[in-house]
Coordinates of all heavy atoms in Angstrom, one line a residue:
K1 N -1.9 -1.7 -11.6 CA -2.8 -0.9 -10.7 C -2.0 -0.6 -9.4 O -2.6 -0.4 -8.3 CB -4.0 -1.7 -10.4 CG -4.9 -1.9 -11.5 CD -6.2 -2.6 -11.1 CE -7.1 -2.8 -12.4 NZ -8.4 -3.4 -12.0
G2 N -0.7 -0.5 -9.5 CA 0.1 -0.2 -8.3 C 0.0 1.3 -7.9 O -0.1 2.2 -8.8
D3 N 0.0 1.6 -6.7 CA -0.1 2.9 -6.2 C 1.2 3.4 -5.6 O 1.8 4.4 -5.9 CB -1.3 3.0 -5.2 CG -1.4 4.4 -4.6 OD1 -1.3 5.4 -5.3 OD2 -1.6 4.5 -3.4
K4 N 1.7 2.7 -4.5 CA 2.9 3.0 -3.8 C 3.6 1.7 -3.5 O 3.0 0.6 -3.3 CB 2.7 3.7 -2.5 CG 1.9 5.0 -2.6 CD 3.0 6.1 -2.5 CE 2.2 7.4 -2.4 NZ 2.9 8.5 -2.9
I5 N 4.9 1.8 -3.6 CA 5.7 0.6 -3.1 C 7.0 1.1 -2.4 O 7.6 2.1 -2.8 CB 6.2 -0.3 -4.3 CG1 6.9 -1.5 -3.9 CG2 7.0 0.5 -5.3 CD1 7.0 -2.6 -4.9
F6 N 7.2 0.6 -1.3 CA 8.4 0.9 -0.5 C 9.1 -0.4 -0.1 O 8.5 -1.4 0.4 CB 8.0 1.6 0.8 CG 7.4 2.9 0.6 CD1 6.1 3.2 0.9 CD2 8.1 4.0 0.1 CE1 5.5 4.4 0.7 CE2 7.6 5.3 -0.2 CZ 6.2 5.4 0.1
C7 N 10.3 -0.5 -0.5 CA 11.1 -1.7 -0.3 C 12.3 -1.4 0.6 O 12.9 -0.3 0.4 CB 11.6 -2.3 -1.6 SG 10.3 -2.7 -2.7
F8 N 12.7 -2.2 1.5 CA 13.9 -2.0 2.3 C 14.5 -3.3 2.8 O 13.8 -4.3 2.8 CB 13.6 -1.1 3.5 CG 12.5 -1.6 4.5 CD1 12.9 -2.4 5.6 CD2 11.2 -1.4 4.3 CE1 12.0 -2.9 6.5 CE2 10.2 -1.9 5.2 CZ 10.6 -2.6 6.3
T9 N 15.7 -3.2 3.2 CA 16.5 -4.3 3.8 C 16.7 -3.9 5.2 O 17.1 -2.8 5.5 CB 17.8 -4.5 3.0 OG1 17.5 -4.8 1.7 CG2 18.5 -5.7 3.6
F10 N 16.5 -4.9 6.1 CA 16.7 -4.7 7.5 C 17.2 -6.0 8.1 O 16.6 -7.0 8.0 CB 15.4 -4.3 8.2 CG 15.5 -4.1 9.7 CD1 16.2 -2.9 10.2 CD2 15.0 -5.0 10.6 CE1 16.3 -2.7 11.5 CE2 15.2 -4.8 11.9 CZ 15.8 -3.7 12.5
E11 N 18.4 -5.9 8.7 CA 19.0 -7.1 9.3 C 19.1 -8.2 8.3 O 18.8 -9.4 8.7 CB 18.3 -7.5 10.6 CG 18.4 -6.4 11.7 CD 17.7 -6.8 13.0 OE1 17.0 -7.9 13.0 OE2 17.9 -6.1 14.0
G12 N 19.4 -7.9 7.1 CA 19.6 -9.0 6.1 C 18.3 -9.5 5.5 O 18.3 -10.4 4.6
K13 N 17.2 -8.9 5.9 CA 15.8 -9.4 5.4 C 15.3 -8.3 4.5 O 15.4 -7.1 4.8 CB 14.9 -9.7 6.5 CG 15.4 -10.8 7.4 CD 14.6 -10.9 8.7 CE 15.2 -11.9 9.6 NZ 14.8 -11.7 11.0
Y14 N 14.7 -8.7 3.4 CA 14.1 -7.8 2.4 C 12.6 -7.7 2.6 O 11.9 -8.7 2.6 CB 14.4 -8.3 1.0 CG 14.1 -7.3 -0.1 CD1 14.9 -6.2 -0.3 CD2 13.0 -7.5 -0.9 CE1 14.6 -5.2 -1.3 CE2 12.7 -6.6 -1.9 CZ 13.5 -5.5 -2.1 OH 13.2 -4.6 -3.1
F15 N 12.1 -6.5 2.8 CA 10.7 -6.2 3.0 C 10.1 -5.4 1.8 O 10.8 -4.4 1.3 CB 10.4 -5.5 4.3 CG 10.8 -6.3 5.5 CD1 12.1 -6.3 6.0 CD2 9.8 -7.2 6.1 CE1 12.4 -7.1 7.1 CE2 10.1 -7.9 7.2 CZ 11.4 -7.9 7.7
Q16 N 8.9 -5.6 1.5 CA 8.2 -4.8 0.4 C 6.8 -4.5 0.9 O 6.0 -5.4 1.3 CB 8.1 -5.7 -0.8 CG 7.5 -5.0 -2.0 CD 7.4 -5.9 -3.2 OE1 6.7 -6.9 -3.2 NE2 8.1 -5.6 -4.3
L17 N 6.5 -3.2 1.0 CA 5.2 -2.7 1.4 C 4.5 -2.2 0.1 O 5.1 -1.3 -0.6 CB 5.2 -1.6 2.3 CG 5.7 -1.9 3.8 CD1 7.2 -2.1 3.8 CD2 5.3 -0.7 4.7
L18 N 3.4 -2.7 -0.3 CA 2.8 -2.4 -1.6 C 1.3 -2.1 -1.4 O 0.6 -2.8 -0.7 CB 2.9 -3.6 -2.5 CG 2.2 -3.6 -3.9 CD1 2.9 -2.5 -4.8 CD2 2.3 -5.0 -4.5
T19 N 0.9 -1.0 -2.1 CA -0.5 -0.7 -2.2 C -0.9 -0.7 -3.7 O -0.2 -0.2 -4.5 CB -0.9 0.7 -1.6 OG1 -0.3 1.7 -2.3 CG2 -0.5 0.7 -0.1
V20 N -2.1 -1.3 -3.9 CA -2.6 -1.4 -5.3 C -4.1 -1.2 -5.3 O -4.8 -1.3 -4.2 CB -2.3 -2.8 -6.0 CG1 -0.8 -3.0 -6.1 CG2 -2.9 -3.9 -5.2
N21 N -4.7 -1.0 -6.4 CA -6.1 -0.9 -6.6 C -6.8 0.2 -5.7 O -7.8 0.0 -5.1 CB -6.9 -2.2 -6.3 CG -6.4 -3.4 -7.2 OD1 -6.2 -3.2 -8.3 ND2 -6.3 -4.5 -6.6
K22 N -6.1 1.4 -5.8 CA -6.7 2.5 -5.0 C -8.0 2.9 -5.6 O -8.2 3.0 -6.8 CB -5.7 3.7 -5.1 CG -6.0 4.8 -4.1 CD -4.8 5.8 -4.2 CE -4.9 6.8 -3.1 NZ -3.7 7.7 -3.2
R23 N -9.0 3.1 -4.7 CA -10.4 3.4 -5.1 C -11.0 4.4 -4.1 O -10.7 4.3 -2.9 CB -11.2 2.1 -5.3 CG -11.3 1.3 -4.1 CD -11.3 -0.2 -4.4 NE -11.3 -1.0 -3.2 CZ -10.1 -1.5 -2.7 NH1 -9.0 -1.3 -3.2 NH2 -10.2 -2.3 -1.6
L24 N -12.0 5.2 -4.6 CA -12.7 6.1 -3.8 C -13.9 5.3 -3.1 O -14.4 4.4 -3.6 CB -13.3 7.2 -4.6 CG -12.4 8.4 -4.9 CD1 -13.1 9.2 -5.9 CD2 -12.0 9.1 -3.7
T25 N -14.2 5.8 -1.9 CA -15.5 5.3 -1.2 C -16.7 5.9 -1.9 O -16.5 6.9 -2.7 CB -15.5 5.6 0.3 OG1 -15.4 7.0 0.4 CG2 -14.4 4.9 1.0
H26 N -17.8 5.5 -1.7 CA -19.0 6.0 -2.4 C -19.3 7.5 -2.1 O -19.8 8.1 -3.0 CB -20.3 5.1 -2.0 CG -20.7 5.3 -0.6 ND1 -20.0 4.6 0.5 CD2 -21.6 6.1 0.0 CE1 -20.5 5.0 1.6 NE2 -21.5 5.9 1.4
D27 N -18.9 8.0 -1.0 CA -19.1 9.4 -0.6 C -17.9 10.3 -1.1 O -17.9 11.5 -1.0 CB -19.3 9.6 0.8 CG -18.2 9.1 1.8 OD1 -17.1 8.7 1.2 OD2 -18.4 9.1 3.0
G28 N -16.8 9.7 -1.6 CA -15.7 10.4 -2.0 C -14.8 11.0 -0.9 O -13.8 11.7 -1.2
E29 N -15.1 10.7 0.3 CA -14.3 11.2 1.5 C -13.0 10.5 1.6 O -12.0 11.1 2.1 CB -15.1 11.1 2.7 CG -16.4 12.0 2.8 CD -16.0 13.4 2.9 OE1 -15.1 13.8 3.7 OE2 -16.7 14.3 2.3
E30 N -13.0 9.2 1.4 CA -11.8 8.4 1.6 C -11.4 7.6 0.4 O -12.3 7.4 -0.5 CB -11.9 7.4 2.8 CG -12.2 8.1 4.1 CD -12.4 7.0 5.2 OE1 -13.0 6.0 4.9 OE2 -12.0 7.3 6.3
Q31 N -10.2 7.1 0.4 CA -9.8 6.2 -0.6 C -9.2 5.0 0.1 O -8.7 5.0 1.2 CB -8.6 6.7 -1.5 CG -9.1 7.9 -2.4 CD -8.0 8.5 -3.2 OE1 -6.8 8.5 -2.8 NE2 -8.4 9.0 -4.4
W32 N -9.3 3.8 -0.5 CA -8.8 2.5 0.0 C -8.0 1.9 -1.0 O -8.2 2.0 -2.2 CB -10.0 1.6 0.4 CG -10.8 2.1 1.5 CD1 -11.8 3.1 1.5 CD2 -10.7 1.7 2.9 NE1 -12.3 3.3 2.7 CE2 -11.7 2.5 3.6 CE3 -9.9 0.8 3.6 CZ2 -11.8 2.3 5.0 CZ3 -10.1 0.7 4.9 CH2 -11.0 1.4 5.6
S33 N -7.0 1.2 -0.5 CA -6.1 0.4 -1.4 C -5.9 -1.0 -0.8 O -6.1 -1.1 0.4 CB -4.7 1.0 -1.5 OG -4.7 2.2 -2.1
D34 N -5.7 -1.9 -1.6 CA -5.3 -3.3 -1.1 C -3.8 -3.1 -0.7 O -3.0 -2.5 -1.4 CB -5.4 -4.3 -2.2 CG -6.8 -4.5 -2.7 OD1 -7.7 -4.5 -1.8 OD2 -7.0 -4.7 -3.9
F35 N -3.5 -3.6 0.5 CA -2.1 -3.5 1.0 C -1.5 -4.9 1.2 O -2.2 -5.8 1.8 CB -2.2 -2.8 2.4 CG -0.8 -2.7 3.1 CD1 0.0 -1.7 2.8 CD2 -0.5 -3.6 4.0 CE1 1.3 -1.6 3.4 CE2 0.7 -3.6 4.7 CZ 1.6 -2.6 4.4
S36 N -0.3 -5.0 0.9 CA 0.4 -6.3 1.2 C 1.8 -6.1 1.7 O 2.4 -5.1 1.3 CB 0.4 -7.2 0.0 OG 1.2 -6.7 -1.1

């Protein structure tokens, strides 16, 4: 259920930005994802 993932190294540290479970709101105007 992955949507987007961005990984990078900065000053020797590894970071991962991840969105999963993208879903529409009830009115269909927006979408939401779990972000970690």
Side-chain angles (χ1 to χ4, degrees):
K1 297 185 180 183
D3 177 42
K4 297 261 188 207
I5 186 165
F6 297 111
C7 304
F8 62 91
T9 303
F10 180 74
E11 295 180 351
K13 298 171 187 158
Y14 190 74
F15 294 89
Q16 182 183 64
L17 290 76
L18 174 66
T19 63
V20 297
N21 299 323
K22 193 173 193 179
R23 59 212 174 268
L24 280 170
T25 56
H26 67 281
D27 61 5
E29 294 286 320
E30 296 179 325
Q31 294 179 328
W32 291 81
S33 297
D34 295 323
F35 175 85
S36 65

